[in-house]
Amino acid sequence: MTTRYGQLNSARAVRSEPARRVRPPMGHATLDLVDQARSCLAEAATAGTANERFAAAHLGALRAAAAVLAARAHPVSRRSSRSGAGRRRGHGPRNVWELLPTVAPELSEWAAFFSANSGKRAAAQAGLRGAASAREADDLVRDADTFLGEVCILLGLPYQEPIDGLTSRV
């Protein structure tokens, strides 16, 4: 069943309830990470080489994922961290793409996608010639911008238009 915006507003008017937007509490770290993600995507949109675009776009997605973790993850208490409880037995630290589905299962597919591109990002950052093609870089910039949009919606932040220049390449 789909509800149109007008129907929703008229239903609220009948009940005389003010429209409220519920947003989870978040700290400065979360908002800073979203801003950093946006900056990385702006940098990616203007980068000169495919490797630079790919690496900056992936870093932007990484920062967006970190914002979700900052907003939703619960810190491990000192007592449980000393005893090793709460940590996977026999494994070291986990990366953002492994942690993201645990705090935001709705982003699991995005986490798998960006995790699969982590090696290519490392090669691009290392400056390996041809690590990312122009098409791969442009696609990742658009995908990372879409992901950031979904993160903003998830966190209850206002929608922002895509970065200028994302649609000009292809």
Side-chain angles (χ1 to χ4, degrees):
M1 176 179 143
T2 59
T3 303
R4 294 183 183 192
Y5 182 72
Q7 292 171 327
L8 185 60
N9 280 341
S10 63
R12 279 195 184 114
V14 170
R15 291 184 291 175
S16 299
E17 293 178 17
R20 283 188 240 163
R21 184 177 172 133
V22 178
R23 182 168 88 179
M26 64 185 78
H28 292 288
T30 300
L31 298 174
D32 288 347
L33 286 163
V34 169
D35 285 342
Q36 290 171 18
R38 197 98 184 126
S39 294
C40 287
L41 292 177
E43 179 184 327
T46 60
T49 69
N51 279 357
E52 291 169 345
R53 282 195 310 278
F54 193 94
H58 197 278
L59 182 58
L62 189 63
R63 298 262 167 86
V68 174
L69 294 180
R72 287 195 168 181
H74 301 286
V76 177
S77 69
R78 288 185 176 186
R79 171 178 272 170
S80 64
S81 66
R82 270 190 243 129
S83 67
R87 202 189 277 175
R88 296 183 303 163
R89 295 193 185 274
H91 294 91
R94 296 167 67 187
N95 71 37
V96 168
W97 304 122
E98 291 174 340
L99 291 171
L100 186 62
T102 65
V103 299
E106 61 270 42
L107 299 177
S108 294
E109 288 181 40
W110 281 112
F113 171 75
F114 287 112
S115 180
N117 282 294
S118 293
K120 190 174 290 249
R121 185 208 71 230
Q125 283 180 314
L128 295 178
R129 188 176 189 165
S133 70
R135 176 67 184 256
E136 289 170 323
D138 293 341
D139 288 348
L140 193 69
V141 171
R142 283 187 294 277
D143 290 338
D145 193 56
T146 301
F147 176 65
L148 177 58
E150 289 193 24
V151 164
C152 287
I153 291 167
L154 180 72
L155 297 176
L157 299 173
Y159 172 78
Q160 291 185 333
E161 292 294 322
I163 303 285
D164 290 337
L166 289 183
T167 57
S168 63
R169 299 180 192 250
V170 173

